Amino acid sequence: MGTVEHTLKCPICQDLFTDPVALPCGHNFCLSCIRVVWNADVSEVVPFFCPECQIFLPSNLTLKVNTSLKEKVKDFTINGPVTMGLSTMAPSRPTTPSPTIHCDHCIETASVAIKTCLTCDASLCQAHALLHQQREALREHTLVEVTGDPLSLKCKEHREELKLFCMEDRVPVCCLCVLVGLHKDHQATQLHKACSDFKKSVAVFRERISDKYSRIRVVLDGDERLMMQIIDTEETYMTEWLEAQRGIMEAHIKEIDNLRASSKSLLKETNDLRFLWQITAQSLGKPLDLPPIGEVDRDLCDLERMRTVERLVDDLSVALSQHLPRMWSYLTTPTLDPKTAHPKIDVSQDRKQVCWSKQPHDEAPGSWRYDTQYSVLAQEGINTGQHYWEVLVQEKPYWLIGVTTGPAPSEDRTAQNIPSLGVNKSFWCIYHGDGQYLACNDEQEKQLPVGLKRVRKLGILADFHKGELSFYDADTLTLLHRFSLQSTEPLYPMLNPCIDVDGLNRQPLTLFWLRDNYKCHVNTEEGKQ
């Protein structure tokens, strides 16, 4: 279907032909599209050209509708690809088509827009987008990917383009913001330059961190080589000393053996005169004064140096264990359960994001939810080991994030069996409301001294070994608050994007997950002491 449909589309507007005309070079275009590209009627004397092959055409060119191609488009529109000898397959699952945005400048036909001009506040088809690039007066206009809400990319106060970046408040601003607005006299730079600088900074940080790890590896490798050299050298000297001791003992034994052999030979002598003469000559008649062969002193063979080396390595291991494993080693990403979502919030298809719904929807069959909270729970509960996850809140003014107990999957999830939130100790959370942070549990609330710096990423660590639930500023790993966990029931991570008013709190809550090939170790051991 795609190949046939492609041949029936205008190369300019990327939509099915409307009154297709054929140029001498063989390329076809909608009559209105080619007129927009040429920006003139065919009666005018201008250098016409083909947008596809770029060849120049005669100035007296007369455009005629390609009736054969027009009939094919009509047949395709009415009957689809089946009448053209093609078969189609039903999709494996229903898909929700994205809303089509049409060109605001096309009057005769509804052309699909491919770009949005922020300067004109208008969406443009391919022909009008090309016109923006060709006309001198329009070249400075800002073209972005097509969007149905161009005002969302502009300053909410002045309705101007966000061309600058305030270095003090770290937010995109318009020119009026810097001249007369809230960011007056603030240092600002061009938006594209700020983006480029941030990318360079990220690259620099990546390189610096990699360099620091390289230096750590060099230090560890050098320490390992030193310890192995100490052990090898100690082994060499110990071996040499033992060999020397063995040589001394062997010479002593040989001397004793020679004496025994001489004494044994003398005892066989039968001539008394010769016997006495040999005893006198060899001084064998005197008492022997040979030192006894003693044992090697065990202290001299003690491996004290080896034990010292092992102790130093143990000290290094203890020093590293104070910082390892990192809290991020337990990083996991819960999967949200749409069945637990309130009807007025939307859960993304990948179940990693939740936001206030623009259009409240009916509850799906079999769905269940907690009380009247605008929240959604994770699909899996946790009750052992250590678990850490992060939620991106960015600039969202209102949100509530925490954990709560929930009924087991086998229990009846009816309204009577669903516990109410906020009236018992089955609910631990951090609430943010317009710059204020509250730690909530049961009916108790505690204001947290977070300071002026807003938390953009909230980290939650559930440590069932210690019986603690901790909340962190995930960017700085600064502890915000710690609860004592006494519940034996499984806990479910919970996200509440809170109600939206006038579009100010429509931003989503997003679960953080690693997008590279590195795998985090998750400690799920049970009963670990």
Side-chain angles (χ1 to χ4, degrees), residues 265-279:
S265 176
L266 183 60
L267 291 174
K268 294 180 180 181
E269 181 61 49
T270 57
N271 189 302
D272 295 339
L273 183 60
R274 187 180 294 114
F275 175 78
L276 293 174
W277 180 79
Q278 289 182 359
I279 288 178

Side-chain angles (χ1 to χ4, degrees), residues 94-108:
T95 58
T96 303
S98 58
T100 302
I101 301 175
H102 294 95
C103 177
D104 293 325
H105 291 300
C106 290
I107 300 176
E108 297 182 7

